[in-house]
Amino acid sequence: MNAGPTGSDRAAPTRPDGALARLALALERPRVLGALMLAPAVLYVVAFVAVPFFIAIALSMSDATVGDPQIDTFVGLDNFIAVVSQSGFRLALRNSLLITTLTVLILLVLATTAVELLARDFRGKRLVQVLFMIPWAMPVSLSAITWLWVLDSQYSPIDWVLVQIGLLGPGGTFGPSWNLFYLGREGLAIASIVLVDVWRTLPLATIIVLAGRLSIPRERLEQAQLDGAGFFRILFRIIIPALAPVLTVAILFTALLVIGEMSTIALLTRGGPGHSTQILPFWAYLKGINSGDLGQGAAIALFLFPVLLAAAIVALRFAYRAGRD
Amino acid sequence: MLYHSIRDRLLVLRGASLGLGAAFVLVLAPTTALAQNEPPDPEFRTSYGEMTFPEQFPDGTAISLTQWSHFVPRYDEWFQEYAQQWGEAHNVEVTVNMINLADLTSTLSASIAAEEGATVFEMVAPPTAFIDGLQSLADVNQAAAEAFGERSGTCERSSYLPATDTWYGFCHGWVPDPGDYRRSLWDDAGFPEGPVTYQDLLEGGAKIFEDNGLPVAVGMSPEIDSEFYARALIWSYGGSIQDEDGNVTFDSPEVLEAVRFQKELFENAMTPEVFSWNAASNNQTFIGGRASYIQNSISFYRSAQESAPEIAADTGFRPGLQGPGGEVKMPSHVWFIDVIPSYVTDPDELAAAKKFMLDLENNYASASYYSKFYNFPAFPSRSEQLFAEDGWLSDDPWGAEPPDKLGLLRTAEEWTAWLGYPGYANPAISEVYESHLLSSMMADVARGEKTPEEAIADTNAEIEEIFAKWRDRGMIGSGGD
């Protein structure tokens, strides 16, 4: 018969010995474990956000060039003062704000509409969801090149359709020319860029908003219906207020995405006609890399940072408070 | 030792090293091949001027070249083979990285910042802003001048900075930028030889536009072809951005006349499509049969020979257009400027890179031939078959019809200028070019955003500011003061 352990056999709790045992003990402390879990994210932010950011600040206050990128001469705010006097910069600033604002406003409407569609059950919903995500999944350069063809000055399929239905061409509503020259006219060029940015970022905005929309209790919407509220009343009195925090986050994310993106402009218009579609990131690239003045390039790139930082803080605070309420 | 063997004899290597007897035969090849239709076999010498090189480099020597994917694909095929052949002949591992033309500056910039990257970068415009991060190539340029004789003006002024007395690059070739017109259209419009003057371009272009709806297709967009067109127009009208000593001369009656002309041309013979073009747009428009005149290098014509032979057959070339004073100046369309970043310090790697540059120039007949005469040599003596009276340009082996269609390019050196014309390229000239100030100015006037006077005043102010900035850094001037 197997006797159970006697009191003398039971091991009394003792201090662990060996490195692994000590490590295990240390990991049981919440402060150590928490710091370790956070470390990769902190390292990432420091290496890929903080360091480049502070280098950019240092560059913007130096006379560094592409040939001599050393940050060894402090020039104060000279680069910021110099870029402000450039007509290309002023237009770039205007366009960056204009294009971002227009894109976000259109996104708000379209994302809210798309969410109302995707929140409902219907046949083929999975397929629609997949198709909806394609613009987000496509590389920016590839989508811009596709749009470049769609908006081509001579071979645009949109022009072809307009000609076929008699709206374009001699005697047409839109004038005698066979083409509208979407990228060659300032207003149409900006509209085209906004269109491409909306097309590209709509899936992201929609996914963010959809998550918020699905978190609204179904009973609350059904109760409103039972009380006789119509679609728009439910939308504006229940859904949109409930979505406010998520909409704020969606606005913030897409705005930051659009305002810092230069591929669309680089591939569609390169800032033309003249500088009328120039934006800050592309102007910074032209000045900093192509023209060789790293200091001015960094100054242009950083110009909107204080505004964006303030906007981001306000937006996140609003989202936090709205979510808490 | 860097150049440890001093030898005066020439060696010809093909594939692996050959003997001196075979070398003697091959050294004669350039002369005998003149009568034939193909370039001579490559000839790799061991000395150029006062620079001497070993026949074979020590084991482990390697160089890497970063250059753009050529507009004429046949050139890239030839270059890859040539580079490997050169490497095998010299016991050097040669790597060629071909990248998009638009990525060259950012790649060089990143390499200099990281102090790591290719041994040689082949830039397509004077990389003057990079001078502080580049090695002086005075020795290579001097050796080339001693060995090959006269150098083309556009190459010299695109690789030397007088303000600091620096040869920052070795320009091995350049590309003419002729005017290109549809013969049938201009014949019908009463200009059987095509437009000769800018006034012809306006009158004939307007008539063709009115009769056929086909516009003059010269760009006013932020891209290189539009920048080149703006310069050609301004230079031919007698204006310029700077003088020979680097003083800004932009705000002048000549520039004003040129800008007024462009506005008139746009209003009578052009469409708004030119405001959003990229560098390929005018080629595509011309090959698509939708343009009466463009300004471009012959690469579009080589494409048209294959994809649109009827357009190629109907294409005529002009050596630029005369301004009101009869002056004709066109820019070079591309320069091939080799530079070596300062981070390259290995003596064998440096020597191999410099020898590669000089050997390429020595064998430039092949470079010209396989680029289908897109590449012109920096030293005309290196491609005699190109310029000879009964040479390649007069009897095109790549199928031009008539065979002497490209014959006018024999005089291209006479009507070709350079970015800093009449002075040298410098960082300010490069920044004006890279910031697209001239094409944007033309577009602002053509679109009615500004009057010619306002546009010139605004642009001049920006140019002055850019020049002042680089002058403060000692990069502007003739170097004599």
Side-chain angles (χ1 to χ4, degrees), chain B residues 187-258:
Chain B
D187 195 15
D188 291 346
F191 298 88
E193 300 301 316
V196 175
T197 66
Y198 279 98
Q199 196 56 35
D200 291 349
L201 185 69
L202 174 61
E203 291 172 13
K207 187 168 188 326
I208 294 168
F209 189 47
E210 195 179 323
D211 294 346
N212 303 289
L214 298 178
V216 169
V218 289
M220 283 188 273
S221 175
E223 51 89 25
I224 60 170
D225 286 353
S226 300
E227 287 293 316
F228 288 145
Y229 170 75
R231 279 162 180 74
L233 174 65
I234 287 170
W235 292 334
S236 298
Y237 267 70
S240 64
I241 296 172
Q242 65 168 9
D243 65 15
E244 291 180 26
D245 297 322
N247 301 303
V248 177
T249 56
F250 191 71
D251 194 354
S252 68
E254 291 82 7
V255 174
L256 181 60
E257 281 309 302

Side-chain angles (χ1 to χ4, degrees), chain A residues 11 22 57 115 197 208 221 226 271 310:
Chain A
R22 278 199 298 275
I57 292 178
V115 160
D197 279 340
I208 294 173
L221 303 174
L226 286 174

Side-chain angles (χ1 to χ4, degrees), chain B residues 54-348:
Chain B
E55 286 174 45
Q56 296 271 299
F57 285 86
D59 287 348
T61 306
I63 61 171
S64 56
L65 316 165
T66 293
Q67 59 192 56
W68 59 294
S69 295
H70 203 282
F71 288 149
V72 179
R74 184 68 183 86
Y75 175 83
D76 283 346
E77 287 172 28
W78 168 79
F79 190 87
Q80 290 279 12
E81 287 171 19
Y82 171 84
Q84 293 315 311
Q85 186 181 354
W86 186 93
E88 287 166 15
H90 293 87
N91 191 35
V92 174
E93 186 184 336
V94 182
T95 308
V96 183
N97 310 305
M98 291 177 175
I99 64 174
N100 188 296
L101 177 144
D103 295 333
L104 279 172
T105 46
S106 54
T107 306
L108 176 58
S109 175
S111 298
I112 288 176
E115 299 188 346
E116 189 174 285
T119 316
V120 177
F121 284 82
E122 183 188 80
M123 308 303 285
V124 294
T128 48
F130 290 90
I131 286 175
D132 289 335
L134 303 175
Q135 310 230 358
S136 166
L137 294 180
D139 51 357
V140 177
N141 280 283
Q142 187 181 342
E146 287 167 4
F148 307 138
E150 190 185 356
R151 186 198 317 258
S152 71
T154 192
C155 268
E156 180 181 336
R157 288 163 182 80
S158 304
S159 49
Y160 175 70
L161 187 70
T164 57
D165 188 23
T166 306
W167 287 95
Y168 52 86
F170 175 65
C171 174
H172 66 70
W174 58 283
V175 178
D177 198 31
D180 321 302
Y181 69 99
R182 287 280 301 281
R183 287 159 57 191
S184 58
L185 297 172
W186 285 86
D187 195 15
D188 291 346
F191 298 88
E193 300 301 316
V196 175
T197 66
Y198 279 98
Q199 196 56 35
D200 291 349
L201 185 69
L202 174 61
E203 291 172 13
K207 187 168 188 326
I208 294 168
F209 189 47
E210 195 179 323
D211 294 346
N212 303 289
L214 298 178
V216 169
V218 289
M220 283 188 273
S221 175
E223 51 89 25
I224 60 170
D225 286 353
S226 300
E227 287 293 316
F228 288 145
Y229 170 75
R231 279 162 180 74
L233 174 65
I234 287 170
W235 292 334
S236 298
Y237 267 70
S240 64
I241 296 172
Q242 65 168 9
D243 65 15
E244 291 180 26
D245 297 322
N247 301 303
V248 177
T249 56
F250 191 71
D251 194 354
S252 68
E254 291 82 7
V255 174
L256 181 60
E257 281 309 302
V259 175
R260 283 178 176 156
F261 168 84
Q262 187 58 20
K263 182 174 174 61
E264 199 177 353
L265 182 68
F266 174 74
E267 288 170 348
N268 290 281
M270 297 174 68
T271 64
E273 65 183 307
V274 300
F275 296 130
S276 61
W277 271 356
N278 59 39
S281 298
N282 61 56
N283 306 8
Q284 290 164 356
T285 304
F286 195 92
I287 293 172
R290 302 286 297 265
S292 65
Y293 177 92
I294 63 171
Q295 176 183 317
N296 215 318
S297 62
I298 63 166
S299 56
F300 90 89
Y301 172 69
R302 295 306 189 192
S303 299
Q305 281 182 293
E306 293 175 10
S307 62
E310 69 290 351
I311 297 292
D314 195 31
T315 298
F317 294 98
R318 294 294 317 169
L321 302 172
Q322 294 173 11
E327 195 169 356
V328 178
K329 281 293 170 206
M330 297 291 258
S332 174
H333 193 78
V334 164
W335 298 263
F336 300 91
I337 305 167
D338 283 343
V339 298
I340 302 181
S342 301
Y343 59 72
V344 180
T345 52
D346 179 74
D348 293 323

